[in-house]
Amino acid sequence: GAGVSQSPRYKVAKRGQDVALRCDPISGHVSLFWYQQALGQGPEFLTYFQNEAQLDKSGLPSDRFFAERPEGSVSTLKIQRTQQEDSAVYLCASSSTDRDGNEKLFFGSGTQLSVL
Amino acid sequence: QQQVKQSPQSLIVQKGGIPIINCAYENTAFDYFPWYQQFPGKGPALLIAIRPDVSEKKEGRFTISFNKSAKQFSLHIMDSQPGDSATYFCAASRRGGGADGLTFGKGTHLIIQP
């Protein structure tokens, strides 16, 4: 595809359920990011992959959050035992480097998670 | 600690006017400052970005002004159109936007009235 694809588009979970959110990055993009965007707020960094290596997971809010990218392409963000405060839009981005060496992020449309 | 402060929260401008959105940052290690545009139900899309070695950058109707000593930067939209109505986010990062990720402002909801 031409852009970053995320699925599902919407996810409703009961409190305590586990959820898995999928991200298909732009083909050939080495870097992949996950962000969390609460309603009316800016995106907040969760984690970063370079190929299959998770180089930074400092933004993951708790040990209930886990991300993987086993083959260096598709990534999955898993949230265990979901809580109401996990309700947000989860954005995935992949990046390319411009001629000045800046990393340009391309975002998917996100997965809107609602925990009831 | 909010590392990037954005204002105003919301802004209404008549068509053809020049909306100005301001951001201030605290971390002097930041060296890459992009602006993103987000429409409802979509992810943010990169509009324009600047490095601290220049004071201004123009791309089409969008201009970034950068003041390194004041640690401030702003977005100007020339000849604004109703289609520019969206939420705008400033952001900042170290090392050109790589592994550290972007730190975003809280966003400005812009409405351009016909």
Side-chain angles (χ1 to χ4, degrees):
Chain A
V4 177
S5 177
Q6 292 188 247
S7 60
R9 186 72 182 86
Y10 302 94
K11 177 68 179 178
V12 178
K14 291 183 179 179
R15 189 161 54 99
Q17 278 186 330
D18 297 349
V19 298
L21 313 180
R22 177 187 169 102
C23 173
D24 280 275
I26 294 172
S27 177
H29 280 190
V30 168
S31 298
L32 183 145
F33 301 81
W34 284 97
Y35 284 80
Q36 180 189 60
Q37 186 173 24
L39 187 64
Q41 301 294 314
E44 292 195 358
F45 171 80
L46 292 178
T47 187
Y48 162 70
F49 289 86
Q50 191 172 88
N51 295 306
E52 69 278 3
Q54 188 175 20
L55 298 185
D56 188 345
K57 54 182 181 179
S58 62
L60 295 176
S62 78
D63 59 7
R64 296 186 295 104
F65 287 71
F66 172 76
E68 60 183 6
R69 194 185 185 198
E71 297 178 358
S73 55
V74 170
S75 177
T76 304
L77 177 66
K78 298 179 179 178
I79 309 173
Q80 297 176 326
R81 304 181 303 281
T82 52
Q83 304 295 313
Q84 284 188 322
E85 61 263 27
D86 299 335
S87 296
V89 174
Y90 290 85
L91 294 165
C92 176
S94 65
S95 70
S96 64
T97 303
D98 66 18
R99 61 183 180 183
D100 296 321
N102 299 311
E103 206 149 5
K104 299 174 67 174
L105 269 63
F106 298 86
F107 283 86
S109 293
T111 293
Q112 185 172 331
L113 173 65
S114 299
V115 181
L116 306 178
Chain B
Q1 181 185 11
Q2 186 187 356
Q3 295 198 56
V4 179
K5 295 184 180 179
Q6 183 172 346
S7 63
Q9 268 190 313
S10 60
L11 184 58
I12 300 174
V13 172
Q14 294 294 316
K15 177 184 173 183
I18 305 176
I20 300 173
I21 304 171
N22 300 298
C23 282
Y25 63 97
E26 299 165 5
N27 188 344
T28 54
F30 287 148
D31 65 356
Y32 178 65
F33 304 89
W35 284 89
Y36 281 80
Q37 179 190 56
Q38 186 175 31
F39 292 105
K42 299 294 185 184
L46 178 64
L47 265 182
I48 185 173
I50 198 168
R51 297 293 292 267
D53 52 346
V54 297
S55 60
E56 185 176 277
K57 184 174 182 180
K58 289 184 181 182
E59 284 186 6
R61 296 185 294 109
F62 300 95
T63 299
I64 300 179
S65 298
F66 187 85
N67 186 329
K68 187 175 181 179
S69 60
K71 293 188 288 185
Q72 295 176 347
F73 57 111
S74 60
L75 176 71
H76 298 59
I77 305 176
M78 307 302 174
D79 187 28
S80 59
Q81 302 296 316
D84 296 329
S85 298
T87 301
Y88 292 80
F89 294 95
C90 61
S93 72
R94 298 185 299 171
R95 297 183 294 178
D100 288 348
L102 290 167
T103 299
F104 283 84
K106 292 193 172 185
T108 296
H109 183 52
L110 174 65
I111 296 174
I112 307 298
Q113 291 185 331

